[in-house]
Amino acid sequence: MTDHPTLARRDLLKIGGVTAFGVSMPGVLTACAGDANPASEAGNELRVSQAVDATTLDPHKHGDLPSMHVLINIFDTLTVRDTNDKLVGGLATSWKPIGDKAWRFTLRKGVTFHNGEPFDAEAVKFSIERLVDPKTQSPIVELRYVTHVKVVDEYTADLVTSEPDPILPQKVSLFGGVIIPPKYVKEKGDAAFAEKPVGTGPFVFERWKRDSEVSMKANAKYWKGKPAVDRLVIKIMPDPSSSLAALQSGQLDMVSGLTPDAADQLGDAPDLKIVTSPGIRTFFVSLDTLSGGPLAKKEVRQALNHALDVPTLIKSVLNGAAQRTPTLIPRQAFGFDPAIEAFTHDLAKAKSLLTQAGYPNGFSTKLSASSLDKDIAQAISGQLEKAGVKAEVSLLDAATFKSRLVSENKAALGPMYFSGNTGWTMDAESNLQSFIRHDRRQSRWDDKEADRLVDVEEQTIDSGDRKVAFRKLQELMKDEAPFLYLWQTSNVYARNNRLQWKMNANGTLAFADAKLGKA
């Protein structure tokens, strides 16, 4: 998955080498501060905003968080991350390996889809095999080793793989584990299913007004019990100033996906709270090591990492709401090694390495980014220029950037691009799977030892052996430096005092357990 945060502007001006651009968001909050608060009139309806609409309501045909924020309330998965980030049962109550190439899942009994269709092993078989079928063209690649599902009995299913897959239970906890109703999908077809999704989840789909809102009502027959909230409405509001104004005036209960800069606008508003919780989204700059030129040399890539003052970027651009990552792996993920140290900021060393590589006067290149990430791309460019590397920023609209990111042409985004990734399985495999092995869709690095280590960590059952492979892989990634390593961001949202809810590290808006008090 790829994430595109909108980042602060005003503090970027404090960073050396950054040219002036833009202005801060307008002060809409003040204008609405004195409006009547309609929260008390909203009753037991939870109203939440997010900046971007879902791309589709077919859970197998997307790989983005905005879509999942909606769908995780309509559908269930085989396993779940609870609010303490522990893997627990969802539609599966237990699981165990069967030999080296299969996992057996025991399924929950007495569960039905919203249309009354029963949930059973046939539903698991239909869902998983649909997801991995090339005809579905699912962007969800975590289940790449699953070949088929064997129905053992009505409530037991084996997921069979071509290679050992040590973390398959983690992979069916979110994107990879959504279960859909076979009869309904076969009768209605894919298009109708995407327009009116039917799941087993805590809320029943009501309507979707594109680029406006998605509304759902509580599932009275939910297997965990009817949600405490009667209705859930997710409103699409791209402008954080407008969202925060709506929160302050009582028209929303929560604004999700805030940047620290936007959250600051709320100030000391009474009865409202900014919540910052640990997140697992990591951000980096990908370097094209395959197309020749300066970036083909290891010394140049190391120099660029030394040229960046990442702690200053975090402090100034993200108001401190992030942690530096030595490579691409967040601290919460299995495989993160605290012994791996991040590159130090050392301009003298950066210039020395450039000279050693044959570029004593630096060189010119391009840095591509989504237009949503304009500010951070310009900040990075400004810092690289101090080492003599002029990285012209090339901005693309979000849709174009995404299409080039996943295209077969690995040079489609030029020599350098800024991006992010959410490893939602909480295992480092997810953070690395698309970027390291030479034959993966977003890899721009070709290293036989890296390929070998990826194979070990992806296909070895023993957790100790996997941990060793991850350590060696991170050491190699730092030495070869095919990326500029940046940070993992925190989850930031604003809420009113009547909402009682906790977000887990993957940052999804799962509201099955949410409660609303008095306004």
Side-chain angles (χ1 to χ4, degrees), residues 219-270:
N219 177 9
K221 299 180 179 179
Y222 190 46
W223 57 270
K224 288 179 67 178
K226 182 183 177 183
V229 171
D230 290 335
R231 176 167 277 100
L232 170 62
V233 179
I234 296 181
K235 294 180 177 292
I236 313 306
M237 303 181 72
D239 181 359
S241 293
S242 299
S243 296
L244 289 169
L247 176 69
Q248 197 168 29
S249 64
Q251 297 171 55
L252 287 175
D253 296 295
M254 175 180 162
V255 178
S256 69
L258 282 172
T259 63
D261 180 50
D264 272 356
Q265 296 180 77
L266 201 57
D268 298 322

Side-chain angles (χ1 to χ4, degrees), residues 31 35 40 49 54 68 90 93 111 149 152 173 232 289 343 384:
D35 293 351
S40 59
S49 74
M68 185 50 78
T93 57
V111 179
V149 177
V152 180
S173 66
L232 170 62
T289 72
F343 278 95
L384 294 179

Side-chain angles (χ1 to χ4, degrees), residues 96-105 145-150 157-169 458-461:
K96 63 180 180 181
I98 303 295
D100 288 339
K101 296 183 180 179
W103 281 86
R104 175 161 295 174
F105 291 84
Y145 295 131
V146 175
T147 58
H148 64 284
V149 177
K150 177 183 176 183
D158 290 350
L159 272 60
V160 182
T161 60
S162 60
E163 305 292 339
D165 192 336
I167 64 163
L168 195 53
E458 286 189 353
Q459 302 171 23
T460 303
I461 297 296

Side-chain angles (χ1 to χ4, degrees), residues 306-308 345-352 383-384 386-387:
H306 282 297
L308 287 183
H345 173 52
D346 190 335
L347 273 179
K349 191 169 186 177
K351 291 177 180 177
S352 174
Q383 289 197 346
L384 294 179
K386 288 187 173 182

Side-chain angles (χ1 to χ4, degrees), residues 508-519:
T508 49
L509 304 180
F511 289 115
D513 298 322
K515 297 179 181 177
L516 291 171
K518 293 182 179 179

